[in-house]
Amino acid sequence: MNRRQIFQSLLAGLAIPLAPLNLARAAQVSGRRLILVELSGANDGLNTVVPYRDERYRQIRPNISLHEDERFTLTSELALHASLTPLGDAWEAGDLAIVQGLGYPGQNRSHFKSIAIWETGGDGSQSGVNGWLTEDIMGMRDASEVDAHGISLDGGMGVFAASSGLWLSMTSLNQFATLAGQRQQAPSVSGGDNPALAMLLDRGHSLDTAMTRISAKIERLPRSSSFRIDAGDFGRQAAMAAQLIDAGIEAPVLKIKLDGFDTHEAQPWRHRDLLRDLGRGLAGLRQALIQSGQWEDTLVMTYSEFGRRAVENESMGTDHGTAAPHFLMSGGLSGGIWGVHPDLGNLADGDMEFTLDYRTMYHTVLRDWFGLVQNRFQSHFDPALDGILRS
Amino acid sequence: MKSRSGIANKINAFMLTFILAVALLGFPAHAQNHDVLSVQRGLALAGYEPGPLDGYWGGLTESALSELMEDYGIAAEVGGPDDLSGTVFDALVRAFNALHEALEADKPHLQVALGVVDARHLLERTGIGAHPAEIDRLVGLTRSEAISQIIAGLDARAPLLPQPTWVESGPFPDYWLRWDYEEEERSRFRMARDREMNQLRAWWVDELIATDRPQAERLILYWHNHFVTAYSAIQEESHAIYLQHQLFRSRGHQNFRDLVTAILYDPAMLNYLDNDRSREEQPNENLARELMELFVLGEGNYDEETVKEVARALTGYGYTRMGRMEFQFSPWDHDSGRKTIFGRTGRWRAEDVADILLDQPEAAEFVARKFWTAYVSEFNYDEEELATVAAAFRDADYDVKTLLRYLLASRAFWAEENRGTIVKSPVDLLIGSARSQGRHLGEVVSLPNQLAALGQNLFEPPNVAGWPGAGDWLTPSRILLRNDTLDRLADYVDDAADQEQPDASVAMAGADTGSAEMAGVDEPSMSEGGDTAGGTIRVRYAAENFEGPPIFRVYVMRENEEGALRTDWVSPVVVAEGGIDTERYGRVMASDLPWRETEIPVPREIDPAAFRVSFVNDHCCGAGGSDGGDRNFYVDWVSFDGRLYPVSAGEQRTSCTSPNADREPGRLFCNGHVTLSEYLTEDTEPVFARSSDRLLIDRVAFEWAEEMRAGDNWVSFSLGVLSPRLGSVGAQAMKVELVRNNTDDAGQRLLLKISERECYPNCLGAPMPSAAYTNRETGHREMNFVLIGREWDDERRQWNALTDEQRAFVSSLWVAVPDFIRQAMRGRNWREREAQRKYETWSEWLALVEEALPRSRYARHAAPGGWGMSGIQPDANSMSMMMSMMSGTGAGEPMVVAGMPSDDARDYVDGMAQSAPPAQYFLTSIAGVDLPQVGQLSEIFQHPMYQLK
């Protein structure tokens, strides 16, 4: 470790104190849940939430800027991509909040590095090992109180990376029901000093416990409750999330994913189709949760590895960039536009400067949604998002 | 064994082109002859003195080599680069190993004689699983000697099993024109490529099981996960994936420096990381960044400024898709300015970048650490030993076998605490099980599909970082699937071990041919004795199971006098095999369907007008709708008597209520049938008509155009033409460029330009005459044919140098240009590349062209019959599909497992099983975990240690 590294780790220690979790438990709000929506590949923020009045928008994007018939106006400044029209109801009802200009210092432009940063709450100089909310959620709810701490419905477990806890992946609804009880008892051995074996046994054990509980609940799900959301595989995941909630499965976090946002080329067509699935999927999810009475207790949050470069490239696309807006949706929030749009007149190498550290959003979610006043990100407090969530 | 030819030769041709390109473009001339360079390196690494490592054959190299051959008593005349055979390379490796065995003589931990435990450890880490016969062969050798055995087999050589035929077929599919296809044609094209990938995947799985050089395949797998490329991320360019695979196969065991350079020329990589459209004005940083982060240096060992500089050096590195797929450098897109990379400033190109990066001390450490994770431990790292390995790797100028030799010779590799500290990948688990059990488990699970389900779909790593391994193989879903799969394997192995002669009605026919046994349900027996007097119907199908598999029947239809189809014969019920249980595993992605083939004997003569495949037992659904489980049936094709009936031309009727349900024939989601009356035969050759009085083409599409601006001196409008031909002149692929040229002394000119770079195999049926221009930047020949304005003397000479036929060809092309543009307007490129807007800026000039052409020399020389599109013919996509379908139905190769005939491989294990095999043949033992007494082989599958290696 050289001097610089030592300095950094000291800083890191200051920045991320371990929250005294026992104290935090008093204020927490149980029964609420968060649905994380990963826009994998890096969503282009500028063509999602469009500053259509800004002449510079058309200047930096002569070929791929959205025309009037390709937009859906929200305010006198901003419009959504027309593919997101299905979110109009949520917007009208005040169930949709847009947080602008999210990013972090020292932007890393590699997909997997930067998604790992978002997943673990790091920044350009450090990425963590554990998922950003795993420790706080485990502190909030003991494994015995939940069916799972989190369930990923897309197979991806990065955001749930944790050395312990019940973080599950479930890619079809019946997976656990049909597999529970079928497993033959493995010969009992102990891990000893072998780290690989210890991990294997630990994971097998947590899984058995959770499966038994979850499968029992899914079996009670009435067959007629099955429904579809017409948004491709994303719709399938969204529908599954709604069904898990309907079945009464206790899991503070669910995770779904829409993949394919790496639009280096042919963006107008590809992005249009992706956002259509996103809009339909989220609108369908909202409808389902309103029907089952769970919408007030559910918060949907999008995230992505980074935004895309403000200046378009030569292939009708955009390259890896920096800041981007994200969506929060719930029956329990104050909808509207939050934060400040990055200044298109102040681009650095064709990139927007972020206006809000994404960890402020994490902090706000942990503090106001889950009532975890003391959490991993409290040093990122910023009044910009105060009041966005009803605590 | 079948020799590799076709594309394998193209690879050689590719390397040759590379060398030529190097010579022509003035790249550093270190690759004069790659084989010679390899020999020189090999000599140096074995302690001989070949003179400078320059790739030139000379006296020093020759004498060093003959000295070595003499030392090892190998008789082979080597008088020059042409004599460098496998014998020579084997001798070099032998000498290398001998040198290292001597160096290792004073290391006690390497002089231990191998027992079963050590031998299995070495094999599982360097290969895939370990067959007891492979283990027994190593027992008794010292560790040092055993390492030599591994190193000696790192060269993959020719595969044991023949690769799919499409890799050897003539011209590549029309990748370059596919963007012009409308959606339906695109989707057919995509399906054909997907099918090829599935074949390649299935072949590799079989090869992994069969190979007698598992260490070579392990190394190829390693590179696949180091220089990552995913098929689905490169717009279905299956041929590019194949070329990359062959690169690892032929070069992966040699030198990392060469591999890094070669990967910067690799079409699949250039596509995957977007470098193929990286240009000076807008460099794309993707390849530059991953090159440093994941391929050579590692995160944190470079800064963003370096990424930008390296990206500049890589601009213009792309590839052509015309007729073939190979590296192409575009000088005008390359930023030839000075770049500063790690403190060194110069007009760097990709080749220099590779050298500069490899001069960084972090490079060897980074690559050594990645190999450590793959070969020594995913959990424990010994920094001191890692540094030693890295130093040796660097000192050997990045020789891959040196790296491996030092890793395997490290204390850590053999240390107790590192045994069982790598989580078996799905390949280790499934292919390893097949190899160690001596059984091709394709009979019980569809291996490529099962690999995908467990998270390791070959040629589809999840992202450019590859499969992370370790805990990622043990996510909850994957744990469940792993256990379930192991249970199924255990049952199968137990059953099979109970039966000396597997009953034909239980065991399936050779899975290596992809065929499946069918169970007669309401007919007595359908075994080999079946009456085939009328021939055999083959059906390719896939199943999704829900509370049991789909069953189907095949109807032979004939026409009655009114021309209506009537049933002539009905097959017995066939139970679909190999289906995925959708209740457990969810629905299957269309590209992952587990396709099978089955044969249905027909007992009497038939004269089919059509076949009908009928799905009779639809069943739906589990909780959660069809996603909770659904029984579906898929048909791909039926073949009979040399005819192939593709389902895409079929008519489908099912009881599904959705209006779209029958739109894609072959996907039966409800009871119903699909009727196939259209077929292809092997002699449905593409009608490659030729005419000497008419220019024929297969297709024309808009390529690109510049906006006509008065001030620009050189403005062009470019069209792609597929297979233009007239008489004996023609090309398979050709771009023609309409150019408006402003000159100082002669005013405005309008001409048609053709370039060898933009034609395949060439523009005029022969290389261009020497009168042609040579492009100063690319070295390619080009010709201009002026229509309006003054013709330069050079251009006149070019015209005069053409043969009469060539003149007619060029003239016919010229005369057809206005028609070509009108034709191209119908294509998709026209719409999606904003051609209309640009076309409009050209309209005045195009009017002049139409006016000038009839009065020009081109009108006089053009073919009298004008031009035409080739008549309706089975398009190339159907043809290649046809070829691959037919090829899949051939007689299977004899099954081989771990380099042995499968019977021998199985008997070896069964023989051991009768005397209760010691568990250490199959399981890693670690302190604190007792290995079971093995009563039945299956017990080892359920032991937790079976998940680790």
Side-chain angles (χ1 to χ4, degrees):
Chain A
M1 200 178 251
N2 62 28
R3 265 178 58 187
R4 191 166 136 262
Q5 283 169 328
I6 291 171
F7 183 61
Q8 278 178 352
S9 60
L10 282 176
L11 273 184
L14 289 175
I16 309 177
L18 271 178
L21 297 163
N22 298 342
L23 291 177
R25 293 186 72 142
Q28 68 191 232
V29 184
S30 62
R32 282 184 164 181
R33 72 185 66 81
L34 172 64
I35 301 181
L36 294 168
V37 178
E38 180 186 352
L39 309 180
S40 184
N43 180 38
D44 178 37
L46 264 186
N47 275 14
T48 304
V49 180
V50 186
Y52 65 97
R53 288 255 190 253
D54 195 330
E55 202 39 51
R56 291 165 302 192
Y57 167 65
R58 272 170 290 280
Q59 282 162 12
I60 53 181
R61 298 195 157 185
N63 295 303
I64 64 162
S65 58
L66 298 181
H67 302 161
E68 196 169 354
D69 58 344
E70 296 165 321
R71 303 189 304 247
F72 166 75
T73 306
L74 295 181
T75 70
S76 59
E77 302 289 326
L78 295 174
L80 286 182
H81 191 295
S83 285
L84 294 174
T85 309
L87 298 182
D89 288 349
W91 176 257
E92 293 298 324
D95 287 357
L96 171 62
I98 296 168
V99 185
Q100 306 186 90
L102 292 167
Y104 58 84
Q107 182 66 51
N108 190 309
R109 283 169 218 264
S110 126
H111 286 293
F112 39 94
K113 280 311 283 190
S114 195
I115 197 67
I117 285 169
W118 276 76
E119 284 172 347
T120 58
D123 58 34
S125 58
Q126 55 163 23
S127 68
V129 177
N130 292 336
W132 66 270
L133 44 51
T134 51
E135 290 156 35
D136 286 319
I137 295 291
M138 285 190 288
M140 178 178 86
R141 307 282 295 274
D142 190 77
S144 60
E145 302 168 39
V146 291
D147 296 317
H149 283 116
I151 306 179
S152 163
L153 307 185
D154 61 50
M157 292 295 286
V159 75
F160 293 157
S163 50
S164 57
L166 275 174
W167 305 95
L168 303 180
S169 158
M170 186 171 171
T171 43
S172 91
L173 204 56
N174 283 29
Q175 205 168 20
F176 292 172
T178 47
L179 284 170
Q182 286 177 354
R183 293 192 57 201
Q184 301 189 13
Q185 210 50 46
S188 64
V189 295
S190 69
D193 294 335
N194 182 310
L197 184 59
M199 180 175 73
L200 179 77
L201 297 175
D202 181 52
R203 292 192 176 193
H205 175 72
S206 332
L207 183 58
D208 281 343
T209 315
M211 266 172 36
T212 313
R213 290 202 292 239
I214 290 173
S215 56
K217 290 189 178 175
I218 290 182
E219 266 167 38
R220 293 201 297 269
L221 195 69
R223 190 167 278 211
S224 60
S225 78
S226 69
F227 78 105
R228 290 176 166 279
I229 297 175
D230 177 22
D233 187 61
F234 181 69
R236 189 188 63 77
Q237 294 175 39
M240 196 170 139
Q243 285 172 296
L244 288 178
I245 292 168
D246 206 20
I249 285 164
E250 288 280 329
V253 194
L254 299 176
K255 196 224 151 191
I256 59 180
K257 173 164 92 172
L258 179 55
D259 202 352
F261 282 94
D262 199 13
T263 48
H264 286 281
E265 49 159 359
Q267 174 167 314
W269 302 276
R270 292 166 62 188
H271 201 228
R272 176 192 66 201
D273 293 352
L274 288 161
L275 292 184
R276 186 171 56 212
D277 280 355
L278 181 66
R280 287 181 183 173
L282 295 183
L285 180 60
R286 173 172 176 267
Q287 276 309 320
L289 293 176
I290 288 173
Q291 268 170 30
S292 60
Q294 298 289 337
W295 183 234
E296 304 280 315
D297 286 331
T298 305
L299 174 65
V300 176
M301 182 185 112
T302 64
Y303 69 105
S304 191
E305 49 264 61
F306 33 72
R308 306 195 74 81
R309 205 161 272 190
V311 178
E312 69 181 32
N313 67 17
E314 289 278 302
S315 335
M316 296 288 277
T318 48
D319 293 330
H320 299 181
T322 50
H326 282 288
F327 296 131
L328 289 171
M329 283 177 72
S330 170
L333 58 64
S334 306
I337 310 287
W338 293 76
V340 179
H341 198 283
D343 182 359
L344 293 185
N346 182 26
L347 298 182
D349 276 349
D351 275 323
M352 293 177 281
E353 301 273 10
F354 74 97
T355 54
L356 188 63
D357 194 302
Y358 76 102
R359 288 164 292 193
T360 302
M361 182 165 76
Y362 285 3
H363 168 65
T364 310
V365 167
L366 290 170
R367 183 192 65 183
D368 295 346
W369 189 251
F370 288 118
L372 299 168
V373 176
Q374 286 170 306
N375 61 62
R376 246 183 83 183
F377 301 101
Q378 58 202 101
S379 63
H380 291 283
F381 164 77
D382 185 312
L385 297 185
D386 277 2
I388 192 171
L389 299 172
R390 285 174 220 150
S391 24
Chain B
M1 289 298 130
K2 221 164 165 184
S3 73
R4 288 184 297 159
S5 59
I7 290 187
N9 284 338
K10 284 192 181 108
I11 293 199
N12 293 334
F14 159 73
M15 293 317 298
L16 192 67
T17 319
F18 163 41
I19 292 160
L20 287 176
V22 163
L24 278 169
L25 298 174
F27 290 178
H30 60 239
Q32 289 305 317
N33 181 320
H34 189 264
D35 279 351
V36 174
L37 181 61
S38 294
V39 166
Q40 289 169 336
R41 284 174 171 157
L43 285 166
L45 289 168
Y48 292 78
E49 286 172 21
L53 308 186
D54 56 7
Y56 286 108
W57 184 259
L60 288 173
T61 305
E62 191 169 339
S63 65
L65 184 60
S66 50
E67 190 190 337
L68 178 144
M69 303 286 270
E70 209 177 295
D71 287 353
Y72 288 88
I74 299 163
E77 280 299 313
V78 183
D82 294 343
D83 301 330
L84 299 177
S85 60
T87 316
V88 172
F89 288 101
D90 283 347
L92 291 168
V93 177
R94 242 179 90 185
F96 169 85
N97 279 331
L99 178 71
H100 281 271
E101 282 182 38
L103 291 172
E104 290 160 7
D106 61 350
K107 297 196 173 135
H109 79 279
L110 295 176
Q111 298 310 315
V112 178
L114 263 68
V116 168
V117 169
D118 273 359
R120 192 195 39 67
H121 171 66
L122 180 63
L123 285 164
E124 277 198 329
R125 293 300 186 82
T126 59
I128 305 144
H131 189 274
E134 295 178 299
I135 295 174
D136 289 342
R137 276 201 292 273
L138 292 184
V139 167
L141 299 178
T142 65
R143 286 172 175 176
S144 182
E145 288 163 349
I147 292 170
S148 293
Q149 300 258 312
I150 300 298
I151 300 292
L154 280 181
D155 179 354
R157 300 279 165 83
L160 277 182
L161 305 178
Q163 297 182 320
T165 49
W166 62 266
V167 310
E168 300 180 0
S169 60
F172 283 16
D174 297 317
Y175 286 110
W176 67 295
L177 267 184
R178 72 190 188 281
W179 308 113
D180 198 53
Y181 293 171
E182 296 301 335
E183 204 40 62
E184 198 183 324
E185 201 177 351
R186 262 314 291 288
S187 131
R188 277 209 304 277
F189 185 88
R190 203 177 294 134
M191 278 169 57
R193 306 288 81 78
D194 287 351
R195 186 187 306 274
E196 288 165 354
M197 273 318 294
N198 286 336
Q199 289 179 348
L200 188 66
R201 206 171 270 134
W203 162 78
W204 196 16
V205 164
D206 287 347
E207 180 70 20
L208 290 169
I209 293 173
T211 185
D212 57 350
R213 293 172 168 247
Q215 60 272 54
E217 299 295 331
R218 162 69 54 191
L219 194 55
I220 294 167
L221 265 171
Y222 174 85
W223 292 126
H224 179 35
N225 205 34
H226 184 104
F227 297 112
V228 171
T229 304
Y231 166 68
S232 59
I234 60 166
Q235 303 92 37
E236 69 272 343
E237 293 186 348
S238 53
H239 289 71
I241 291 288
Y242 172 73
L243 291 169
Q244 188 183 72
H245 180 78
Q246 290 301 99
L247 170 67
F248 298 150
R249 192 160 282 280
S250 60
R251 307 281 291 278
H253 62 292
Q254 296 184 342
N255 185 283
F256 183 67
R257 182 188 298 275
D258 288 356
L259 213 47
V260 172
T261 312
I263 212 72
L264 297 175
Y265 283 83
D266 178 60
M269 183 60 75
L270 292 169
N271 183 338
Y272 184 60
L273 292 179
D274 305 307
N275 207 73
D276 54 334
R277 40 186 91 73
S278 181
R279 12 193 319 194
E280 180 175 7
E281 310 86 80
Q282 294 263 330
N284 188 307
E285 294 168 4
N286 228 353
L287 179 59
R289 178 174 288 104
E290 309 313 0
L291 175 67
M292 291 191 283
E293 175 177 340
L294 294 168
F295 301 164
V296 180
L297 289 178
E299 172 79 10
N301 293 322
Y302 57 91
D303 57 21
E304 281 295 314
E305 198 47 43
T306 312
V307 173
K308 291 199 163 70
E309 294 289 276
V310 170
R312 290 176 57 214
L314 299 182
T315 47
Y317 280 67
Y319 64 106
T320 175
R321 300 177 177 89
M322 293 181 77
R324 74 291 199 197
M325 204 171 257
E326 67 187 29
F327 173 71
Q328 198 170 61
F329 179 67
S330 299
W332 47 85
D333 285 335
H334 178 70
D335 179 345
S336 57
R338 297 161 74 83
K339 301 116 191 159
T340 301
I341 301 171
F342 289 109
R344 282 153 69 175
T345 303
R347 301 186 187 280
W348 306 130
R349 296 193 191 219
E351 303 70 16
D352 309 309
V353 166
D355 288 337
I356 294 173
L357 298 187
L358 287 168
D359 280 348
Q360 306 307 306
E362 291 86 0
E365 287 163 26
F366 171 74
V367 177
R369 187 177 299 272
K370 265 189 131 167
F371 267 83
W372 180 288
T373 307
Y375 284 88
V376 179
S377 175
E378 286 177 326
F379 291 85
N380 307 327
Y381 295 84
D382 181 326
E383 297 299 331
E384 204 174 313
E385 287 213 285
L386 252 174
T388 310
V389 173
F393 184 39
R394 190 170 51 242
D395 291 347
D397 193 30
Y398 297 101
D399 176 57
V400 171
K401 65 181 182 307
T402 301
L403 170 61
L404 266 176
R405 174 114 216 166
Y406 273 84
L407 265 186
L408 301 181
S410 69
R411 274 174 198 287
F413 180 81
W414 299 98
E416 278 296 321
E417 69 263 25
N418 290 330
R419 304 282 172 109
T421 57
I422 293 180
V423 179
K424 282 186 182 172
S425 68
V427 166
D428 287 318
L429 205 62
L430 291 176
I431 314 282
S433 291
R435 289 181 63 91
S436 58
Q437 293 296 319
R439 288 181 165 83
H440 190 301
L441 300 171
E443 298 154 32
V444 58
V445 286
S446 157
L447 290 171
N449 289 294
Q450 197 65 21
L451 287 174
L454 294 178
Q456 196 177 19
N457 193 9
L458 295 173
F459 305 115
E460 289 289 2
N463 57 47
V464 62
W467 292 286
D472 187 65
W473 299 134
L474 299 176
T475 62
S477 323
R478 288 176 181 167
I479 291 183
L480 291 172
L481 269 175
R482 282 167 83 102
N483 291 338
D484 185 62
T485 305
L486 290 171
D487 285 350
R488 284 158 78 188
L489 294 185
D491 289 349
Y492 170 76
V493 171
D494 279 350
D495 285 354
D498 288 346
Q499 293 167 315
E500 274 298 316
Q501 281 300 93
D503 183 345
S505 69
V506 177
M508 281 163 270
D512 58 334
T513 63
S515 71
E517 188 261 357
M518 29 160 231
V521 171
D522 58 355
E523 292 269 317
S525 165
M526 302 292 302
S527 59
E528 294 127 64
D531 184 356
T532 59
T536 301
I537 302 170
R538 296 185 69 90
V539 183
R540 188 164 191 266
Y541 68 85
E544 285 186 305
N545 298 353
F546 172 59
E547 296 178 351
I551 60 180
F552 66 97
R553 290 175 186 270
V554 178
Y555 292 67
V556 175
M557 314 294 287
R558 64 182 159 77
E559 275 183 6
N560 67 8
E561 271 139 39
E562 287 87 54
L565 289 175
R566 288 286 173 267
T567 303
D568 184 27
W569 182 79
V570 188
S571 78
V573 166
V574 183
V575 180
E577 297 279 355
I580 303 275
D581 183 350
T582 54
E583 193 178 6
R584 287 186 188 184
Y585 306 121
R587 299 287 304 280
V588 184
M589 303 234 301
S591 58
D592 292 338
L593 283 171
W595 292 102
R596 296 265 177 152
E597 285 173 37
T598 189
E599 289 188 358
I600 301 172
V602 186
R604 62 174 172 79
E605 288 288 326
I606 53 171
D607 180 19
F611 289 97
R612 173 172 289 173
V613 184
S614 178
F615 171 37
V616 297
N617 66 335
D618 180 43
H619 182 43
C620 185
C621 307
S626 67
D627 290 326
D630 190 7
R631 188 188 294 158
N632 298 312
F633 181 63
Y634 303 84
V635 187
D636 191 23
W637 49 256
V638 169
S639 81
F640 178 77
D641 195 22
R643 296 170 175 183
L644 188 108
Y645 296 75
V647 76
S648 53
E651 267 186 65
Q652 183 168 308
R653 295 274 179 282
T654 64
S655 57
C656 287
T657 47
S658 154
N660 292 330
D662 293 329
R663 197 163 283 178
E664 280 185 83
R667 308 162 71 82
L668 292 101
F669 298 115
C670 308
N671 282 342
H673 56 74
V674 58
T675 307
L676 311 170
S677 54
E678 291 181 31
Y679 60 86
L680 303 163
T681 68
E682 270 178 295
D683 23 79
T684 322
E685 283 287 317
V687 196
F688 199 74
R690 277 189 179 279
S691 156
S692 47
D693 60 12
R694 193 158 187 242
L695 173 73
L696 289 176
I697 68 168
D698 282 2
R699 187 182 195 110
V700 60
F702 175 73
E703 276 292 311
W704 59 275
E706 292 164 296
E707 221 168 291
M708 174 69 74
R709 280 190 298 239
D712 294 350
N713 286 339
W714 187 270
V715 193
S716 61
F717 193 103
S718 170
L719 296 169
V721 189
L722 192 59
S723 297
R725 69 254 183 209
L726 175 68
S728 65
V729 179
Q732 285 170 26
M734 181 173 198
K735 286 183 196 166
V736 295
E737 226 178 298
L738 192 59
V739 176
R740 200 290 321 267
N741 175 214
N742 276 349
T743 62
D744 292 338
D745 38 356
Q748 296 190 314
R749 313 186 319 138
L750 201 110
L751 53 91
L752 194 72
K753 181 186 146 189
I754 58 176
S755 162
E756 291 289 36
R757 186 185 156 93
E758 307 280 19
C759 295
Y760 182 80
N762 44 46
C763 300
L764 299 170
M768 282 188 184
S770 55
Y773 289 122
T774 299
N775 183 300
R776 243 176 302 169
E777 286 181 308
T778 66
H780 287 90
R781 288 187 176 173
E782 302 172 348
M783 296 175 99
N784 293 342
F785 301 102
V786 177
L787 176 70
I788 297 172
R790 192 198 295 172
E791 184 177 42
W792 310 132
D793 290 347
D794 283 345
E795 290 162 343
R796 187 166 310 120
R797 275 193 286 278
Q798 287 169 10
W799 171 257
N800 289 335
L802 296 182
T803 66
D804 288 345
E805 257 193 326
Q806 287 173 332
R807 256 180 235 158
F809 177 68
V810 167
S811 299
S812 303
L813 279 173
W814 229 139
V815 170
V817 161
D819 283 354
F820 282 178
I821 293 177
R822 281 185 281 274
Q823 182 69 27
M825 285 179 186
R826 301 180 196 170
R828 191 174 187 161
N829 281 355
W830 191 272
R831 296 196 304 277
E832 299 203 345
R833 298 182 181 180
E834 300 207 307
Q836 188 63 33
R837 193 168 56 79
K838 287 160 180 162
Y839 169 78
E840 278 158 17
T841 68
W842 276 77
S843 55
E844 274 175 47
W845 278 98
L846 291 172
L848 290 176
V849 167
E850 300 240 24
E851 204 181 297
L853 272 175
R855 294 183 276 107
S856 69
R857 69 180 181 208
Y858 306 112
R860 290 195 303 280
H861 284 89
W867 74 281
M869 302 272 264
S870 310
I872 302 301
Q873 53 174 272
D875 65 89
N877 300 330
S878 330
M879 284 315 296
S880 76
M881 204 183 281
M882 170 86 188
M883 281 185 48
S884 63
M885 286 175 188
M886 289 306 211
S887 76
T889 63
E893 294 286 306
M895 275 219 271
V896 180
V897 175
M900 291 168 270
S902 61
D903 288 353
D904 296 355
R906 190 194 58 226
D907 291 348
Y908 200 100
V909 178
D910 288 352
M912 288 174 62
Q914 273 159 12
S915 57
Q920 73 253 33
Y921 271 95
F922 304 102
L923 291 173
T924 301
S925 57
I926 57 171
V929 178
D930 294 328
L931 291 190
Q933 290 296 313
V934 182
Q936 282 200 301
L937 274 175
S938 60
E939 286 170 30
I940 59 129
F941 287 111
Q942 280 139 359
H943 196 280
M945 287 308 295
Y946 196 67
Q947 308 252 0
L948 307 173
K949 66 173 189 181

